[in-house]
């Protein structure tokens, strides 16, 4: 299996960093091939703007949607976007690992989606290429996330509500929208207050999940 691991955390020595390193070791143990997009380490630019396009179609008014369609037709995306698209084309599975920021992606990962999951590449409403006919159909995806709050905060009736319902804008309206088959989300709750022993247990739980894929 070819795996693209899209990772968003600033500190390599963090708990998230340990989870990512554990996953990469487990994939190696399985015999899989992995490419990592470590967004902070790459200093990935999350802003979709005119610089994304080497050959603008419309220069008087900037319309990102139309420019993305044009860039897909003419292979004229900026090199950093094209590199990420090439990784996706190569991959059988995409894993997105991130800490929960206000019940969603960190901005840098949302920006990766905005710039890379472009119309004409991941979906195309003009040809009704979405969901069952999304352009990434045949690939799988999984969210791996750490939440600072305890599980009861992210449960039905909890202070925040069911985290899986909160993530539907990602799992359904983003990933499934592009045709990806979405696997169950892996969540580590209370990550900011884990004891050393509990952190080790969570790392092992994640390792076992990767080995079972």
């Amino acid at each position: 299996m070819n795996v693209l691991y899209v990772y968003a955390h600033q500190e390599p020595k963090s708990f998230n960093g340990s989870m990512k390193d554990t996953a990469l070791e487990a994939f190696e143990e399985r015999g899989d091939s992995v490419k990592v997009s470590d967004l902070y380490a790459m200093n990935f630019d999350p802003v979709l703007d005119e610089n994304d396009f080497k050959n603008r179609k419309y220069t008087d008014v900037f319309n990102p949607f139309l420019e993305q369609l044009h860039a897909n037709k003419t292979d004229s995306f900026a090199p950093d976007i094209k590199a990420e698209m090439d990784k996706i084309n190569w991959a059988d599975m995409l894993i997105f690992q991130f800490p929960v920021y206000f019940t969603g992606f960190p901005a840098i990962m949302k920006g990766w989606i905005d710039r890379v999951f472009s119309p004409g590449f991941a979906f195309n409403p003009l040809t009704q290429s979405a969901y069952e006919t999304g352009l990434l159909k045949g690939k799988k995806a999984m969210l791996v996330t750490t939440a600072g709050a305890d599980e009861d905060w992210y449960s039905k009736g909890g202070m925040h509500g069911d985290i899986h319902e909160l993530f539907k804008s990602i799992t359904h309206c983003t990933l499934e929208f592009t045709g990806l088959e979405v696997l169950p989300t892996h969540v580590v709750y209370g990550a900011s207050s884990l004891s050393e022993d509990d952190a080790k247990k969570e790392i092992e739980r994640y390792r076992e999940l990767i080995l079972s894929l």
Side-chain angles (χ1 to χ4, degrees), residues 23 26 41 43 108 143:
N43 197 26
I108 197 168
L143 301 185

Side-chain angles (χ1 to χ4, degrees), residues 52-113:
D52 287 9
F53 311 101
K54 296 189 295 184
N55 179 23
R56 290 271 302 278
K57 184 173 184 178
Y58 305 100
T59 57
D60 52 343
V61 176
F62 179 54
N63 184 315
F65 178 82
L66 294 179
E67 294 298 343
Q68 286 178 316
L69 284 173
H70 176 68
N72 271 296
K73 290 179 181 178
T74 59
D75 192 23
S76 56
F77 278 107
D80 62 337
I81 298 176
K82 183 63 166 59
E84 298 306 298
M85 289 176 167
D86 288 345
K87 293 176 189 176
I88 293 173
N89 285 332
W90 166 86
D92 303 305
M93 181 175 186
L94 287 69
I95 293 183
F96 297 88
Q97 187 193 328
F98 59 97
V100 177
Y101 281 12
F102 294 100
T103 70
F105 285 140
I108 197 168
M109 185 170 281
K110 179 59 167 63
W112 187 93
I113 292 286

Side-chain angles (χ1 to χ4, degrees), residues 149-165:
D150 292 336
E151 185 172 4
D152 59 350
W153 278 55
Y154 278 109
S155 300
K156 186 176 181 179
M159 294 287 286
H160 290 323
D162 184 348
I163 195 169
H164 302 290
E165 290 296 319

